[in-house]
Amino acid sequence: MIDIATRVWNHKWKIDPIVRSLIDTDFYKLLMCQSVFRNRPDTQVTFSLINRSAHIPLADLIDEGELREQLDHVRSLSLTRGESTWLRGNTFYGKRQMFRSDFMEWFETLRLPPYDLTRHGDQYELTFEGAWPEVMLWEIPALAILMELRSRAVLRDMGRFELQVLYARAMTRVWEKVERLRPLDGLRLADFGTRRRHSFLWQDWCVQALQEGLGDAFAGTSNCLIAKNRDVEAIGTNAHELPMVYSALADGDDALARAPYDVLADWHEEHDGNLRVILPDTYGTPGFLENAPDWLAGWTGIRIDSGDPATGAETAIRWWKSRGEDPTTKLVIFSDGLDVEKIEHLHARFAGRVRVSFGWGTLLTNDFRGLVEDDALAPFSLVCKAVSADGRPTVKLSDNPRKAMGPEAEVARYKRVFGVGEQVGMEVVV
């Protein structure tokens, strides 16, 4: 096992680049990329970095030259033969050749497109523009780079023994969480922590800890590179990006109202089984489910990623019952701001009523809260979102209005079209 503290003490970026591979990304990014490559390859999209924790002065903490070096390194990457073989030949979700030959031939020649980086006060503005299948693959590497450079900035002035103690405390914290989760009968949990991880090496360590500590209760990791290297399942389905872009491209209110279902109709053509998981909160879960076509009720499950998770699960259960479905056969994936206490509570409330699963993210792979002076390693909320498609702004409403994004007039229009009324704001930790 790697001595992370010594590696941090000795690291140079050319030895330890933050992003080591084009598959050092979330599995759902590749699944979505294939869908976009098939259905909307020529759509021009802009992604932009958004620091929702404005009190973290990223441009003061992170050297611009070092940031550019890391971004340029990602642009030098291409799939290795072993990575291509893994994607082409492996079985994902029980299906061989999940990735089609035409997509793989394109992916094997891909280099990520240019980026635009400017400084505005104490923050960076980082944007990516181009064909949707290309620029969408910048999202996860960009977030991982910013998060880890912030970690490195804090760790840079720490001594070797101080680093050893820091990581010993962080490891103990993770293992204590694992020990609390072990007694949960029927637990199913995956690592979803790539995008806001403390570092690649730390995420890799956390995955190994879950493998040993939880055994069969550990379902896998969203990180493709770690899944390949550690021989565990690659986990993931789809994200808000798809309905956000499809909706931006819609002409008129009627087409806008249909757009989130058009996304899933395209997905339905490509995937079955546990990949048929609805993410209903982009424009409000209650309205989405109320207006959903009956064929969506036959899908495997739902992922709950904003708002109060228990409320979201209860809403899904009522919806399945109203459509003549048996909720006990359905999968509910909780994935928003999880830590041990919330996992314990949700598991106790819903086990036996639905098939419960957890996608554990930032507070697995970046929980250094309270371990250094001024809490300088506490996780924060950084996202990289599609902000326009073919020149039209994107909008996200969410079940938590504090996660909403888009121009004010368009947000109001989307609320009207999707019938979103008053919402309760909740703290956005990560």
Side-chain angles (χ1 to χ4, degrees):
M1 182 164 301
I2 291 174
D3 179 348
I4 297 178
T6 297
R7 187 77 158 260
V8 169
W9 174 257
N10 290 327
H11 83 70
K12 297 289 187 293
W13 82 267
K14 290 180 181 177
I15 298 172
D16 247 349
I18 290 172
V19 175
R20 296 135 200 271
S21 163
L22 284 184
I23 67 167
D24 181 11
T25 192
D26 282 334
F27 187 56
Y28 74 0
K29 265 296 174 180
L30 300 188
L31 292 174
M32 291 193 300
C33 188
Q34 177 169 250
S35 182
V36 170
F37 176 82
R38 178 184 177 188
N39 296 298
R40 304 288 178 107
D42 299 322
T43 300
Q44 298 295 298
V45 173
T46 300
F47 276 75
S48 183
L49 187 81
I50 302 168
N51 183 6
R52 295 191 296 210
S53 302
H55 65 283
I56 305 292
L58 290 177
D60 291 340
L61 290 169
I62 296 170
D63 177 75
E64 182 176 335
E66 190 173 4
L67 174 55
R68 289 185 182 276
E69 284 183 321
Q70 295 288 350
L71 294 168
D72 290 341
H73 175 71
V74 173
R75 294 200 65 215
S76 76
L77 296 172
S78 60
L79 281 190
T80 67
R81 181 177 298 178
E83 291 165 351
S84 177
T85 300
W86 181 75
L87 288 170
R88 282 180 177 270
N90 200 24
T91 298
F92 301 103
Y93 285 82
K95 182 178 179 180
R96 277 198 170 276
Q97 296 181 323
M98 177 78 74
F99 296 100
R100 296 153 37 120
S101 293
D102 57 346
F103 172 74
M104 285 304 306
E105 289 169 6
W106 170 83
F107 194 23
E108 286 161 350
T109 62
L110 177 69
R111 298 292 179 98
L112 292 193
Y115 59 89
D116 184 71
L117 176 67
T118 56
R119 177 171 178 154
H120 293 271
D122 60 5
Q123 299 294 338
Y124 285 116
E125 183 174 298
L126 179 60
T127 57
F128 311 95
E129 298 182 12
W132 190 8
E134 296 180 2
V135 295
M136 68 185 295
L137 293 177
W138 260 118
E139 177 187 353
I140 308 301
L143 291 172
I145 286 169
L146 267 297
M147 295 301 293
E148 185 162 348
L149 284 178
R150 183 263 197 157
S151 297
R152 291 185 180 191
V154 174
L155 300 173
R156 186 171 291 124
D157 295 328
M158 297 179 69
R160 184 166 186 171
F161 284 94
E162 192 176 9
L163 287 169
Q164 291 281 4
V165 172
L166 170 68
Y167 280 104
R169 288 173 174 165
M171 288 174 179
T172 299
R173 175 174 289 176
V174 171
W175 194 251
E176 287 174 346
K177 293 181 181 186
V178 168
E179 289 179 323
R180 281 184 59 177
L181 293 173
R182 261 191 204 143
L184 300 186
D185 185 43
L187 176 69
R188 181 175 173 81
L189 180 148
D191 156 45
F192 276 18
T194 299
R195 64 183 54 227
R196 285 187 287 266
R197 66 195 181 194
H198 170 78
S199 71
F200 172 83
L201 295 178
W202 184 248
Q203 183 184 13
D204 188 42
W205 185 92
C206 289
V207 167
Q208 293 176 76
L210 294 182
Q211 280 183 279
E212 180 174 319
L214 294 182
D216 291 341
F218 177 55
T221 175
S222 67
N223 187 288
C224 296
L225 182 61
I226 295 175
K228 171 182 174 293
N229 292 345
R230 299 298 169 192
D231 194 25
V232 299
E233 292 291 328
I235 301 292
T237 54
N238 54 70
H240 301 106
E241 171 186 343
L242 291 179
M244 287 172 65
V245 173
Y246 272 58
S247 297
L249 297 174
D251 290 321
D253 289 355
D254 289 343
L256 174 59
R258 292 193 305 270
Y261 308 113
D262 293 340
V263 170
L264 299 182
D266 284 345
W267 194 264
H268 192 91
E269 291 296 314
E270 296 187 53
H271 301 297
D272 54 22
N274 283 350
L275 285 175
R276 287 186 178 171
V277 173
I278 304 166
L279 181 63
D281 69 311
T282 311
Y283 303 119
T285 295
F288 177 94
L289 295 179
E290 179 181 346
N291 297 304
D294 286 338
W295 55 265
L296 266 179
W299 273 31
T300 300
I302 278 179
R303 179 161 73 91
I304 297 174
D305 196 54
S306 65
D308 177 68
T311 299
E314 296 289 2
T315 300
I317 289 170
R318 288 193 299 271
W319 176 67
W320 280 316
K321 288 181 177 178
S322 74
R323 299 296 179 97
E325 298 286 339
D326 179 2
T328 64
T329 68
K330 297 297 186 178
L331 177 65
V332 174
I333 303 172
F334 297 101
S335 61
D336 181 34
L338 295 179
D339 206 4
V340 172
E341 294 80 5
K342 190 179 289 188
I343 293 171
E344 289 173 329
H345 169 72
L346 293 169
H347 185 272
R349 179 164 174 172
F350 291 102
R353 300 177 61 198
V354 293
R355 294 161 50 211
V356 180
S357 185
F358 299 94
W360 196 6
T362 307
L363 295 180
L364 167 66
T365 61
N366 200 359
D367 188 4
F368 285 70
R369 293 172 295 178
L371 296 183
V372 299
E373 187 176 356
D374 297 326
D375 212 10
L377 283 178
F380 63 104
S381 187
L382 185 71
V383 296
C384 185
K385 294 290 188 182
V387 295
S388 71
D390 284 351
R392 301 178 178 184
T394 63
V395 172
K396 180 185 176 188
L397 300 181
S398 178
D399 286 332
N400 180 359
R402 295 186 185 181
K403 286 188 172 183
M405 57 167 283
E408 185 176 344
E410 283 297 291
V411 168
R413 175 183 170 231
Y414 275 59
K415 284 185 174 182
R416 173 179 55 80
V417 168
F418 292 107
V420 176
E422 291 297 315
Q423 294 177 300
V424 177
M426 300 178 66
E427 180 184 7
V428 179
V429 178
V430 290

